[in-house]
């Protein structure tokens, strides 16, 4: 007997049957004897199934499919390897797989909108889904590094590094071309330098050069911050129209610290100043103890920003130095010919 199971990208994708995962031909093969499906034939079938993304979603994220009562049949005819696959539950499995993918996307979007992360209970409450469903999908997403969690029963889930790698597939050339400028800026200021991109209602970090100091500001690549609370986000907001800003920002601006701007008129006033100076500042508005300066620019049709986050005790008094260095970088980037 052959258990049709194959690892794919670290995941196991199994094609189950009512007989417990073992496929038998429904009638004797030529020669009058019933045999197990040959290994090479089973492998060919499994490869065919695993080429479908829905299969991966169903069998990894919604175990137990196909439902009880479904039938999967292989007919073998001699040595030519001809086979017929029949399932009475194809449409049910496909629908279930699509539903799981949709729920996984809902979870990722909800986490993206909450930079501080969310617990399983919070996600279940916000999405109106059973805790068991949330747990199963999060476990699969975490295995794929699409989310990461802090330790403990009430661990908070954040977007994982694979999100940044996927995002970089569309911006990889730009990231590689800008990185030398980031390295130079970090060397000049001896501080951390971040590259971020507008991603819906947040900015997402694409690249980072860390400062050599033991006390330094570090944000994970792939992490997202609200636009209104951080220097790169406010720098990008200054490049947008007020109507576009309102489309991207939530109705109520959340306070991440006691210094976060939470009133839209106040944010508009600050954005107006940023448009004039071309520089945005964050004075412990995103995180207590961390300040930052940032500039925005457009590359290959994408709104991006470079920022310098610094521990507050080293930032005050260095605003002008950071400003000159950031504006010089922006001018150099503007001179490049981007595809």
């Amino acid at each position: 007997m052959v258990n049709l199971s194959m690892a794919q990208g670290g995941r196991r994708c199994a094609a189950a049957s009512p007989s417990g995962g073992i496929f038998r031909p429904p009638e004797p093969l030529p020669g009058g004897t019933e045999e197990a499906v040959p290994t090479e034939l089973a492998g060919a079938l499994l490869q065919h199934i695993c080429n479908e993304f829905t299969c991966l979603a169903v069998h990894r994220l919604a175990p137990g499919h196909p439902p009880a009562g479904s039938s999967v049949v292989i007919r073998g005819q001699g040595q030519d390897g001809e086979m017929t696959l029949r399932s009475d539950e194809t449409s049910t499995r496909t629908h279930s797989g699509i539903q799981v993918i949709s729920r996984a996307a809902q979870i990722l979007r909800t986490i993206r909108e909450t930079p501080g992360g969310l617990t399983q209970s919070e996600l279940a409450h916000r999405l109106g889904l059973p805790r068991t469903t949330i747990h199963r999908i999060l476990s699969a997403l975490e295995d794929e590094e699409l989310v990461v969690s802090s330790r403990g029963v009430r661990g908070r889930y954040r977007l994982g590094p694979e999100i940044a790698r996927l995002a970089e597939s569309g911006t990889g050339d730009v990231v590689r071309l800008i990185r030398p400028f980031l390295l130079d800026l970090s060397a000049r200021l001896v501080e951390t330098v971040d590259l971020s991109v507008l991603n819906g209602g947040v900015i997402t970090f694409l690249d980072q050069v860390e400062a050599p100091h033991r006390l330094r500001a570090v944000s994970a690549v792939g992490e997202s911050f609200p636009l209104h609370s951080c220097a790169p986000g406010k720098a990008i907001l200054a490049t947008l129209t007020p109507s576009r800003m309102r489309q991207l920002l939530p109705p109520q601006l959340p306070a991440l610290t006691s210094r976060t701007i939470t009133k839209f008129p106040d944010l508009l006033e600050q954005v107006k100043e940023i448009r004039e100076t071309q520089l945005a500042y964050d004075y412990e508005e995103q995180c207590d103890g961390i300040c930052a300066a940032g500039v925005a620019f457009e590359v290959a049709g994408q709104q991006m920003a470079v920022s310098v986050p610094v521990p507050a005790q080293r930032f005050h008094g260095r605003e002008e130095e950071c400003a000159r260095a950031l504006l010089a970088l922006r001018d150099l980037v503007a001179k490049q010919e981007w595809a």
Side-chain angles (χ1 to χ4, degrees), residues 4-70:
L4 299 191
S5 169
M6 179 179 73
Q8 196 179 60
R11 308 269 54 78
R12 292 197 65 83
C13 181
S17 77
S19 58
I22 307 300
F23 286 93
R24 289 177 177 270
E27 57 191 32
L29 292 170
T33 60
E34 180 175 336
E35 300 178 2
V37 178
T39 301
E40 59 270 22
L41 186 56
L45 171 66
L46 187 59
Q47 184 62 54
H48 172 75
I49 295 174
C50 287
N51 280 340
E52 299 295 330
F53 179 71
T54 299
C55 175
L56 180 60
V58 170
H59 293 286
R60 178 62 184 93
L61 298 178
H65 289 274
S70 65

Side-chain angles (χ1 to χ4, degrees), residues 43-332:
L45 171 66
L46 187 59
Q47 184 62 54
H48 172 75
I49 295 174
C50 287
N51 280 340
E52 299 295 330
F53 179 71
T54 299
C55 175
L56 180 60
V58 170
H59 293 286
R60 178 62 184 93
L61 298 178
H65 289 274
S70 65
S71 63
V72 181
V73 174
I74 297 176
R75 297 182 183 278
Q77 296 183 7
Q79 297 181 353
D80 61 2
E82 181 181 348
M83 60 184 176
T84 300
L85 171 66
R86 185 186 78 235
S87 173
D88 296 333
E89 300 290 347
T90 301
S91 61
T92 301
R93 288 181 297 175
T94 301
H95 173 74
S96 178
I98 292 172
Q99 183 184 59
V100 170
I101 295 168
S102 176
R103 286 176 172 175
Q106 284 182 299
I107 289 173
L108 291 173
R109 291 192 188 100
T110 304
I111 292 174
R112 183 190 67 182
E113 294 167 359
T114 311
L118 292 167
T119 65
Q120 291 188 18
S121 295
E122 289 169 338
L123 281 166
H125 176 72
R126 291 194 184 193
L127 297 175
L129 294 173
R131 175 85 178 265
T132 54
T133 299
I134 294 292
H135 173 76
R136 186 170 65 243
I137 295 176
L138 281 174
S139 295
L141 293 174
E142 189 168 20
D143 287 345
E144 299 292 346
E145 295 189 323
L146 291 166
V147 299
V148 293
S149 64
S150 54
R151 294 182 178 180
V153 177
R154 292 183 56 80
R156 307 189 78 82
Y157 287 82
R158 298 174 176 83
L159 295 181
E162 184 62 17
I163 295 291
R165 290 191 283 267
L166 291 172
E168 190 177 347
S169 66
T171 58
D173 290 341
V174 171
V175 171
R176 285 189 291 272
L177 290 170
I178 291 181
R179 185 165 179 79
F181 299 109
L182 306 183
L183 290 167
D184 179 69
L185 181 60
S186 180
R188 289 177 60 186
L189 297 176
V190 197
E191 296 293 352
T192 295
V193 176
D194 292 322
L195 173 67
S196 53
V197 64
L198 178 63
N199 180 20
V202 297
I203 57 103
T204 299
F205 293 102
L206 295 178
D207 199 7
Q208 181 179 82
V209 179
E210 291 187 23
H213 304 292
R214 293 186 65 182
L215 179 62
R216 60 186 184 272
V218 177
S219 299
V221 172
E223 190 172 1
S224 297
F225 286 173
L227 294 171
H228 72 287
S229 64
C230 61
K234 289 191 286 185
I236 288 177
L237 283 176
T239 68
L240 307 176
T241 64
S243 60
R244 179 60 175 154
M245 285 176 55
R246 285 192 176 276
Q247 287 178 348
L248 294 176
L249 294 170
Q252 177 61 48
L253 302 177
L256 281 77
T257 73
S258 61
R259 298 174 178 83
T260 306
I261 296 175
T262 57
K263 296 180 179 179
F264 199 79
D266 294 341
L267 181 61
L268 283 178
E269 186 64 28
Q270 190 172 115
V271 166
K272 181 180 178 180
E273 296 176 7
I274 294 170
R275 288 197 184 102
E276 295 175 356
T277 63
Q278 304 296 303
L279 282 160
Y281 292 99
D282 157 16
Y283 290 99
E284 301 184 64
E285 298 165 46
Q286 169 65 35
C287 178
D288 286 321
I290 300 295
C291 298
V295 294
F297 46 82
E298 183 175 318
V299 175
Q302 299 188 77
Q303 296 294 330
M304 293 186 162
V306 169
S307 54
V308 180
V310 184
Q313 57 265 49
R314 288 206 306 269
F315 186 76
H316 296 291
R318 298 189 65 193
E319 289 96 331
E320 289 189 11
E321 179 188 6
C322 290
R324 288 194 300 270
L326 282 165
L327 289 173
L329 178 145
R330 188 201 60 179
D331 292 342
L332 285 173

